[in-house]
Amino acid sequence: MTFLEAMSKKRLFCDGGMGTILQERGLKAGELPETWNLSHPDAITAVHRAYLEAGSDIITTNTFGANALKYPDDLCQVVTAAVRCAQTARDKAARPDAYIALDLGPTGKLLKPMGDLDFEKAVALFSETARIGAEAGADLILIETMSDSYEAKAAVLGAKEGCDLPVLITLIFDEKGKLLTGGTVDSACAMLEGLRVDALGVNCGLGPKQMLPIVKRLREISSLPLIVNPNAGLPRSENGKTVFDVNPAEFADCMAELASLGVSIMGGCCGTTPEHIRHTVAACRDLPFTQPVKKHRTVVCSFSQAVEIGGAPVIIGERINPTGKSKFKEALRENRMEYILNEGLTQEDNGAHILDVNVGLPGIDEPAMMERVVTGLQSVTALPLQIDTSDYTAMERGMRLYNGKPMLNSVSGKRESMEAVLPLVRKYGGVVVGLALDESGIPDTAEGRVAIAKRIYETAEAYGISRDDIVIDALAMTISSDSGSALVTLETLRRIRDELQGHTILGVSNISFGLPQREIINANFYTMALQNGLSCAIINPNADAMMRSYRAFLALSDRDPQCAEYITAYGGQAAVEKAQPAGAPLPLGETIEKGLREHAAKATAELLQAMAPLEVVNTELIPALDRVGKGFEKGTVFLPQLLMSAEAAKAAFEVVKDAMKGEATEKKGKIILATVKGDIHDIGKNIVKVLLENYGYEVMDLGKDVPPESIVLAAEQNGVALVGLSALMTTTVVSMEATIRLLRERCPKTKIVVGGAVLTPEYAESIDADFYARDAMATVHCAQKVLG
């Protein structure tokens, strides 16, 4: 029976922790666990066999950190040996029915533009490991412990491009249901389902009780089999060893509750043992098993925001488009990204839910420009994007590099169009706009347009694309040349809603082309279209008349409870204020909050004409950073925006420094940052560094995989008052504890702050750290307490 067949028929059980067990068997602090595949194969085989004999149906190879970054010379040997150990264990345990999952963990790096790892490089890293593992005999790929949706996408693409094995993935959420980079359960689920993974779920970071709300939400929204691999509760340190607080019996009781939600695959992560799995199998094996139910949801998402189509009407901002916009054309030709990004931010401020992105212009490299604009917008706004192009190369480039599940504009009923576009939707995921036209042109009747919509649905189904991921463009044609065209469009909207139960979209402003005072026609037609079932509208959200129609419709159709949105927009105003046009000068604080480097530098230079440099810093720059930091802590600002704001602040600080012309600009204090020995994951450390530097601290970044002696020596030589230590893996926390002990001996006055996915406040206290930082801003607060 193939793995996918087995997963569809019964609940399967994964294994549990590997690293924590290897520590008990002699793995030294900082020693790479994957090297044991070559040096201690019998020990690895014994762990696998113990899990199989405990009832595991899936054993994961000892390859969590196996990629070419960590193993540039012997990756093939390490991965092949790992699969061989699992195969040997399966034979010795007489479990031919068990499956071997090639384990792919994170690279430990943040991807561009937030970090320094190129997306395609990340895809290649995962692809290489997947290819080696498949050739060695793995049965499936398990991507796990992903805290960044962009790296998760790179891993899925890499796995699928490297082999044809089933691909499963689990992510690491915090108790608020957020990924490190701001992703939510809804956004991550939409993206991964779009990428067509075979199962998805959650692992690590939390115990089974803490995972319950996350799993409930996944079950509500996901159509895929769910995987749950929790830690054995929360970690703490006892006599220099990391232990967890949930015993096998308690763990199994919690897992039984999770199984009742319809979880298809369950096992364990850090701290779990064969006994945890044995108890879990006994508690859950005979519980009723049900296959997941198809959820008919149409969802577009960015890395952190999901927009569901089919409820309240969705506004797609039309301003990132050169058609009829001379200034925008000029910005494209001159590659002035700040102007383009500000167009997006202005539309977000004025109520857009999705941003249309069209950069097609004669004389420019459209695929390259699409890449720059898509990645640039995603660094300053969390709104989902609609990739709008007729250039198939630009379309694929935008979809591939998009962090989320985009909208795609568009495919038509023409065979050539469907054959080019639908395979891209199949591979990368997306909600695609289906134009109701074909080789014969645009039908004059609603009947003809509905027939084309049906054909697009049917052809998409043949590619494995659900009609849930199709939104039909009923086509708004100008009434100046055909006075009956609006009636045909409205009838098409009604019929697609009522007869096909489909979703629709319109480029509303097309209706008024060639007429004076177009906004009058546009706004009234928009209201009529909404009344006739329009799901999405591509409009200008900066236009007051259009937004008045939208908000009034919501209030009148009982989609705005207590008229809250309407009152927020218009209550107490004698007249509606005009929206600020894109490109208009912005206050310095706002440029920093929006992450606009060029605008920040320009605004700083202008302020310095009337204010002293330090006054600019204290009254504008630092307060703006504080506002961004508070938004990050509240969950209203996400990591990409946090980092881009920091970059904008850095640009402003440079202008201030130049204005001071060599005046003393003493740093607040010196801080050491390091990822501890054995750990190559420096995502969190690098984020902390950016923020600390922007708050005026001098940061000594010692890098990753740093021995305790090196950290202590640097602290001694530089008289450092605060050291920040980071660790992602349970197996490297012992190095963190050793570093702290040595610091206490030789630098007793130095304060220590620790952070990382495997840590908790209680654990930090147990290893004698002074502070626990749950995120980057918390580290800034620690620095303020110690250094001012």
Side-chain angles (χ1 to χ4, degrees):
M1 186 185 303
T2 68
F3 171 76
L4 292 180
E5 289 172 340
M7 186 173 63
S8 69
K9 294 179 179 179
K10 61 180 181 178
R11 180 173 291 108
L12 299 176
F13 295 90
C14 219
D15 54 10
M18 172 65 77
T20 44
I21 293 178
L22 294 184
Q23 283 181 316
E24 293 177 356
R25 301 190 180 190
L27 181 72
K28 297 177 183 177
E31 187 177 4
L32 299 178
E34 297 83 15
T35 60
W36 275 40
N37 299 330
L38 300 172
S39 62
H40 299 75
D42 291 344
I44 302 299
T45 299
V47 176
H48 288 320
R49 182 174 179 178
Y51 279 121
L52 289 169
E53 291 174 346
S56 294
D57 303 298
I58 303 165
I59 49 174
T60 52
T61 57
N62 182 36
T63 52
F64 178 82
N67 59 63
L69 291 178
K70 189 184 287 189
Y71 297 96
D73 302 317
D74 55 354
L75 178 65
C76 185
Q77 296 95 309
V78 168
V79 174
T80 301
V83 176
R84 189 181 303 121
C85 288
Q87 290 169 329
T88 301
R90 182 167 60 183
D91 292 340
K92 288 185 175 181
R95 285 290 309 277
D97 60 326
Y99 302 94
I100 296 172
L102 181 74
D103 190 0
L104 296 183
T107 62
K109 287 186 169 290
L110 204 57
L111 274 61
K112 294 178 180 177
M114 291 189 290
D116 58 2
L117 181 61
D118 183 75
F119 180 82
E120 294 296 353
K121 173 65 174 177
V123 173
L125 289 170
F126 289 113
S127 182
E128 182 180 13
T129 304
R131 176 186 56 77
I132 296 169
E135 291 174 353
D139 301 304
L140 63 137
I141 305 290
L142 175 60
I143 301 164
E144 63 152 311
T145 320
M146 286 289 161
S147 59
D148 174 16
S149 61
Y150 206 28
E151 186 174 27
K153 178 171 183 175
V156 172
L157 289 177
K160 286 179 172 285
E161 291 174 1
C163 67
D164 59 0
L165 298 179
V167 175
L168 286 61
I169 185 167
T170 56
L171 305 123
I172 177 169
F173 292 97
D174 62 22
E175 288 192 67
K176 295 180 180 178
K178 293 288 184 68
L179 300 177
L180 170 68
T181 49
T184 64
V185 174
D186 286 48
S187 63
C189 179
M191 184 193 76
L192 294 170
E193 288 197 344
L195 290 169
R196 287 168 175 77
V197 298
D198 295 290
L200 59 83
V202 58
N203 82 295
C204 203
L206 301 172
K209 288 182 180 179
Q210 293 82 11
M211 284 186 178
L212 189 60
I214 296 169
V215 177
K216 284 182 177 179
R217 182 57 186 164
L218 277 172
R219 186 69 292 157
E220 289 172 359
I221 63 176
S222 178
S223 302
L224 293 178
L226 297 186
I227 313 164
V228 181
N229 290 332
N231 287 348
L234 302 176
R236 65 180 188 277
S237 179
E238 284 187 3
N239 301 319
K241 292 179 61 177
T242 301
V243 297
F244 290 79
D245 62 5
V246 177
N247 65 41
E250 294 169 333
F251 186 85
D253 288 342
C254 294
M255 294 299 278
E257 185 176 1
L258 290 167
S260 68
L261 297 175
V263 174
S264 297
I265 299 174
M266 46 199 346
C269 199
C270 299
T272 57
T273 66
E275 279 306 300
H276 286 83
I277 301 305
R278 192 186 312 278
H279 279 73
T280 297
V281 172
C284 304
R285 175 75 79 183
D286 296 329
L287 294 177
F289 171 76
T290 56
Q291 293 189 26
V293 176
K294 172 69 176 175
K295 312 295 191 304
H296 292 287
R297 302 174 73 241
T298 301
V299 182
V300 181
C301 74
S302 66
F303 63 91
S304 65
Q305 287 190 18
V307 174
E308 184 168 0
I309 296 169
V314 172
I315 296 173
I316 303 173
E318 68 180 7
R319 300 298 297 170
I320 304 177
N321 189 320
T323 304
K325 304 178 185 71
S326 58
K327 289 185 179 179
F328 192 87
K329 290 178 181 179
E330 183 182 338
L332 282 177
R333 291 195 178 99
E334 297 177 358
N335 195 30
R336 286 193 285 117
M337 285 297 299
E338 292 266 321
Y339 180 91
I340 299 169
L341 300 185
N342 200 32
E343 283 281 5
L345 291 169
T346 301
Q347 292 181 94
E348 178 179 18
D349 288 345
N350 290 323
H353 306 120
I354 298 171
L355 299 178
D356 183 76
V357 179
N358 185 319
V359 295
L361 192 66
I364 70 167
D365 182 344
E366 187 175 350
M369 182 57 74
M370 181 66 77
E371 175 180 336
R372 284 196 292 274
V373 174
V374 165
T375 55
L377 281 167
Q378 289 209 289
S379 68
V380 298
T381 176
L383 290 188
L385 304 182
Q386 174 172 268
I387 297 170
D388 184 357
T389 178
S390 57
D391 183 319
Y392 298 136
T393 302
M395 183 180 289
E396 178 165 19
R397 195 68 187 144
M399 295 180 74
R400 185 175 178 87
L401 292 175
Y402 182 75
N403 187 359
K405 181 184 178 185
M407 226 169 159
L408 185 65
N409 194 4
S410 56
V411 67
S412 72
K414 296 179 180 179
R415 178 174 296 278
E416 176 188 5
S417 175
M418 291 190 286
E419 289 177 350
V421 175
L422 294 179
L424 298 180
V425 179
R426 167 73 187 175
K427 179 174 183 177
Y428 298 111
V431 172
V432 63
V433 173
L435 302 178
L437 61 87
D438 60 13
E439 288 82 358
S440 300
I442 300 173
D444 295 329
T445 65
E447 183 70 32
R449 297 181 193 184
V450 170
I452 293 174
K454 290 179 180 178
R455 192 184 318 142
I456 293 173
Y457 284 147
E458 291 167 0
T459 307
E461 290 282 359
Y463 281 91
I465 301 167
S466 167
R467 66 169 52 202
D468 297 326
D469 284 333
I470 308 289
V471 177
I472 299 298
D473 190 336
L475 300 176
M477 310 300 293
T478 179
I479 57 172
S480 64
S481 59
D482 180 359
S483 60
S485 64
L487 298 177
V488 173
T489 299
L490 295 173
E491 182 185 350
T492 304
L493 292 175
R494 284 196 305 274
R495 293 187 61 179
I496 290 172
R497 178 192 63 187
D498 298 339
E499 297 175 16
L500 305 183
Q501 290 75 53
H503 302 307
T504 51
I505 186 172
L506 286 177
V508 174
S509 62
N510 293 338
I511 203 72
S512 64
F513 187 78
L515 294 173
Q517 299 292 322
R518 295 180 62 189
E519 200 171 70
I520 298 172
I521 295 291
N522 293 344
N524 284 279
F525 176 67
Y526 184 26
T527 301
M528 296 170 72
L530 290 170
Q531 184 63 33
N532 283 274
L534 180 65
S535 309
C536 312
I538 304 174
I539 65 170
N540 178 7
N542 306 338
D544 293 330
M546 301 301 287
M547 295 307 295
R548 288 171 181 166
S549 293
Y550 171 76
R551 295 185 177 112
F553 174 80
L554 291 183
L556 292 166
S557 60
D558 195 22
R559 299 182 184 184
D560 182 9
Q562 288 79 50
C563 301
E565 184 173 343
Y566 184 88
I567 292 169
T568 299
Y570 307 121
Q573 296 183 11
V576 181
E577 296 180 1
K578 283 285 183 182
Q580 185 179 47
L586 296 173
L588 175 56
E590 191 172 344
T591 67
I592 290 173
E593 291 178 61
K594 293 186 173 183
L596 299 173
R597 284 179 56 90
E598 293 177 15
H599 284 287
K602 184 178 179 180
T604 302
E606 292 173 354
L607 273 179
L608 286 170
Q609 296 176 15
M611 297 173 64
L614 287 178
E615 187 180 0
V616 172
V617 171
N618 293 326
T619 64
E620 296 288 337
L621 296 180
I622 295 301
L625 280 173
D626 286 340
R627 290 194 296 272
V628 173
K630 289 176 182 177
F632 178 70
E633 291 173 330
K634 292 177 181 177
T636 57
V637 171
F638 302 101
L639 184 59
Q641 287 88 354
L642 181 73
L643 294 181
M644 291 303 292
S645 295
E647 289 298 314
K650 187 181 296 183
F653 275 118
E654 289 301 319
V655 176
V656 171
K657 288 179 185 177
D658 290 342
M660 296 181 77
K661 297 178 181 178
E663 293 179 29
T665 55
E666 185 176 347
K667 293 282 185 178
K668 294 178 180 178
K670 190 177 291 186
I671 300 170
I672 284 177
L673 295 180
T675 301
V676 299
K677 182 174 176 58
D679 204 320
I680 66 162
H681 301 83
D682 58 1
I683 293 176
K685 172 182 66 63
N686 292 343
I687 295 167
V688 169
K689 177 184 177 183
V690 171
L691 291 188
L692 287 172
E693 288 178 338
N694 273 281
Y695 274 85
Y697 300 101
E698 182 179 351
V699 177
M700 294 181 61
D701 185 356
L702 301 185
K704 58 195 177 187
D705 190 19
V706 186
E709 296 79 10
S710 299
I711 297 171
V712 173
L713 182 62
E716 287 178 325
Q717 292 177 342
N718 292 276
V720 172
L722 181 64
V723 171
L725 303 176
S726 172
L728 178 73
M729 301 184 297
T730 306
T731 53
T732 60
V733 176
V734 289
S735 294
M736 181 180 282
E737 187 172 5
T739 303
I740 292 173
R741 281 201 303 269
L742 197 57
L743 279 167
R744 294 299 186 215
E745 292 173 9
R746 291 165 49 179
C747 306
K749 294 183 179 180
T750 298
K751 299 296 183 181
I752 303 162
V753 55
V754 298
V758 295
L759 296 176
T760 64
E762 294 76 19
Y763 196 104
E765 183 179 0
S766 71
I767 60 176
D768 201 24
D770 296 291
F771 305 102
Y772 163 74
R774 65 179 181 84
D775 56 36
M777 280 306 302
T779 309
V780 172
H781 297 326
C782 293
Q784 291 169 334
K785 290 178 182 177
V786 176
L787 300 168

